[in-house]
Amino acid sequence: MFTLYYAAGASSQAPHILLREAELSFTLEKVDLSTRSWSGGDYRAFNPKAYVPALKLGDGDVLTECAVILQFIADQVPAKQLLPPTNTRERYHALEWLNFIATELHKNFITPERHGGVAANFLSKTLQGQAQTRLHVSPRLDNVNRRLTGASYLGGEHFSAPDAYLFTMLTWARRLAMDLSQWPALQKFYERVGQRPSVQDTLRVEGPPHALLEQDQG
Ligand SMILES: N[C@@H](CCC(=O)N[C@@H](CS)C(=O)NCC(=O)O)C(=O)O
């Protein structure tokens, strides 16, 4: 049994989707990132990095870092091919995507602003910060759009772990008012993946993310 520590609409959405794709048994613990607390008290006492996702394993061990948690989940159920087998060229290309999404998309979505002096990984809540984010992220989305032109998923025709991560990044793009129709393959991917039962269940269970308003400096 696994426990996923998450916040609505945060990067933890990707492992949430993948746990459902994997049909693994898991429970959810919601973390309030503004107060860094959860039903068990101070979240930092549980995860000193203070961010989500974190995945608690059956033996009490805790895994962090989204791209690694996704690999762990996929490797629990090899038959579902949520990642290609190890030591294959396809596996390395899948890892290439996980790394690209983590370092080129995820990190570039995170604002350099520091909210109220608190160093935290959040999307920008100011119009200026959001404009800067769009500038950084757009050329990276061009690259993903190129890959998806003529392919249904990042690995080809089969949904796999990087697709869950990319989907979450595209929800962020939309929250930052980026019009996905400028990337036709990305737009189709977003609609295709958004129809998966795992994604619909995840979105329903998590509920809406915090709104990003200029005046909301939380
Ligand atoms: N390096 C981490 C970053 C995770 C991250 O940015 N989490 C954000 C939500 S998407 C968060 O929890 N921010 C709150 C904070 O930094 O205090 C990963 O790849 O998992």
Side-chain angles (χ1 to χ4, degrees):
M1 169 71 93
F2 304 113
T3 306
L4 178 68
Y5 291 73
Y6 81 104
S11 50
S12 45
Q13 186 191 78
H16 188 175
I17 292 169
L18 207 65
L19 282 164
R20 291 181 186 277
E21 288 282 342
E23 296 183 272
L24 288 166
S25 163
F26 67 96
T27 56
L28 291 167
E29 283 291 351
K30 191 169 193 162
V31 177
D32 182 337
L33 292 176
S34 58
T35 56
R36 293 182 163 139
S37 61
W38 64 296
S39 66
D42 183 357
Y43 183 60
R44 280 164 300 195
F46 170 76
N47 172 15
K49 288 175 169 173
Y51 49 61
V52 293
L55 187 70
K56 189 161 138 201
L57 312 185
D59 61 4
D61 194 13
V62 177
L63 277 179
T64 58
E65 302 304 319
C66 194
V68 172
I69 292 173
L70 291 172
Q71 291 175 58
F72 177 84
I73 295 169
D75 286 341
Q76 301 309 299
V77 284
K80 291 199 180 281
Q81 298 180 304
L82 294 171
L83 277 177
T86 49
N87 277 328
T88 61
R89 183 69 56 88
E90 290 76 18
R91 175 79 170 208
Y92 290 107
H93 281 304
L95 298 184
E96 198 178 2
W97 279 116
L98 284 178
N99 203 63
F100 178 85
I101 297 166
T103 60
E104 299 297 329
L105 290 180
H106 188 167
K107 219 50 199 175
N108 273 309
F109 267 114
I110 297 299
T111 178
E113 296 158 18
R114 292 296 173 234
H115 301 270
V118 178
N121 291 344
F122 290 128
L123 294 180
S124 175
K125 291 177 182 174
T126 67
L127 294 179
Q128 195 200 4
Q130 290 172 13
Q132 228 172 25
T133 304
R134 284 192 287 270
L135 204 67
H136 287 132
V137 168
S138 286
R140 274 92 180 167
L141 290 183
D142 291 343
N143 179 47
V144 188
N145 187 61
R146 263 192 304 276
R147 163 59 189 143
L148 288 173
T149 302
S152 300
Y153 301 103
L154 291 169
E157 293 314 305
H158 181 79
F159 177 91
S160 65
D163 298 309
Y165 204 177
L166 175 60
F167 178 82
T168 297
M169 294 300 107
L170 295 181
T171 68
W172 289 8
R174 285 165 53 98
R175 284 165 68 191
L176 290 172
M178 296 175 83
D179 178 7
L180 291 188
S181 68
Q182 63 190 297
W183 298 286
L186 271 187
Q187 169 86 47
K188 283 203 202 91
F189 171 91
Y190 182 78
E191 287 162 10
R192 184 180 305 121
V193 175
Q195 284 166 10
R196 296 181 79 81
S198 66
V199 173
Q200 299 208 341
D201 289 346
T202 298
L203 296 177
R204 194 188 62 251
V205 168
E206 291 198 1
H210 291 295
L212 296 171
L213 303 174
E214 172 92 55
Q215 65 271 24
D216 176 10
Q217 289 293 317

